[in-house]
């Protein structure tokens, strides 16, 4: 399934989609460090030493599809959106929202646990979430964080906390660009 790309709206100026012409590993084994070259011919881009390149990543289609299936949406469902922390079009597909905009596979902060506790309907889940944000629950919260649980993982861990898309827009940050010096 191919998702149409929506150009990110970067506060630092216009974004331009350019292809990678070279991707080669710099390190043998272990940590993957790479050398990239981009083909900017015909793009109108210019740069000087000291400029920065912003790379906008996306969430993997397989992970997004699995999450959307669990969440009860199809990637082609059209959503009307408003609010949130980053500007979005008034209408967007679920696939675009969770692939290109929301960092649903990022690590949640404490306020997400608090929000889940406020909407959970299961007494056991409410109790667990309330415990996690107390001083006594700090070690248990640390264990969950250390297990690299994502926003999506937590929604699945506490299924009685039915969080609608509008609330996700308020609590799940946008995917942030990674800046690299040129």
């Amino acid at each position: 399934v191919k998702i149409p790309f929506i150009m990110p709206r970067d506060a630092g100026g216009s974004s331009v989609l350019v292809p990678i012409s070279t991707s080669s590993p710099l390190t043998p084994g272990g940590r993957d460090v790479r050398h990239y070259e981009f083909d900017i011919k015909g793009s109108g881009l210019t740069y000087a030493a000291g400029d920065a390149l912003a790379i906008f990543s996306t969430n993997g289609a397989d992970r997004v599809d699995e999450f959307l299936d669990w969440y009860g949406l199809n990637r082609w469902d059209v959503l009307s959106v408003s609010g949130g922390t980053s500007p979005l079009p008034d209408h967007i597909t679920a696939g675009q929202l969770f692939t290109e905009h929301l960092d649903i596979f990022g690590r949640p902060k404490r306020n997400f646990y608090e929000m889940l506790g406020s909407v959970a309907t299961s007494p056991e889940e409410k109790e667990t979430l309330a415990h996690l944000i107390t001083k006594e629950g700090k070690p248990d919260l640390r264990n969950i964080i250390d297990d690299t649980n994502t926003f999506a993982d937590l929604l699945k861990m506490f299924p009685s906390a039915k969080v609608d898309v509008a609330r996700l827009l308020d609590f799940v940050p946008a995917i942030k660009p990674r800046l690299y010096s040129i």
Side-chain angles (χ1 to χ4, degrees):
V1 173
K2 184 142 174 80
I3 303 298
F5 182 78
I6 297 175
M7 194 62 67
R9 294 179 204 159
D10 181 14
S14 302
S15 298
V16 178
L17 183 64
V18 295
I20 294 176
S21 59
T22 302
S23 171
S24 53
L26 293 175
T27 54
R31 185 168 174 225
D32 187 20
V33 177
R34 295 184 164 271
H35 169 81
Y36 292 107
E37 293 179 16
F38 298 89
D39 182 3
I40 63 170
K41 290 181 197 117
S43 69
L45 288 177
T46 60
Y47 65 91
D51 286 348
L53 171 71
I55 303 293
F56 290 86
S57 63
T58 58
N59 291 318
D62 291 347
R63 289 180 81 190
V64 169
D65 286 341
E66 179 187 327
F67 171 76
L68 288 174
D69 184 51
W70 175 86
Y71 192 68
L73 289 174
N74 177 291
R75 85 167 23 259
W76 300 110
D77 289 343
V78 176
L79 307 172
S80 295
V81 297
S82 62
T85 58
S86 65
L88 292 171
D90 292 339
H91 303 288
I92 188 169
T93 66
Q96 288 170 322
L97 181 63
F98 289 96
T99 300
E100 299 167 11
H101 293 283
L102 288 183
D103 193 9
I104 196 70
F105 302 112
R107 294 176 105 179
K109 303 255 188 273
R110 177 187 169 102
N111 69 343
F112 191 74
Y113 291 83
E114 291 170 347
M115 181 273 296
L116 286 178
S118 73
V119 299
T121 56
S122 159
E124 295 84 18
E125 290 179 17
K126 271 185 139 2
E127 184 179 322
T128 299
L129 287 160
H131 168 72
L132 289 173
I133 59 175
T134 64
K135 187 176 182 177
E136 297 77 27
K138 197 170 187 173
D140 296 325
L141 178 60
R142 177 56 40 208
N143 287 337
I144 290 175
I145 291 170
D146 288 346
D147 286 341
T148 317
N149 284 290
T150 67
F151 291 98
D153 292 335
L154 287 179
L155 289 167
K156 291 177 183 179
M157 284 174 72
F158 301 101
S160 81
K162 303 290 185 206
V163 181
D164 61 22
V165 171
R167 194 166 272 200
L168 287 179
L169 288 171
D170 290 333
F171 284 90
V172 178
I175 297 172
K176 293 173 185 56
R178 294 188 178 111
L179 298 174
Y180 297 90
S181 297
I182 296 177

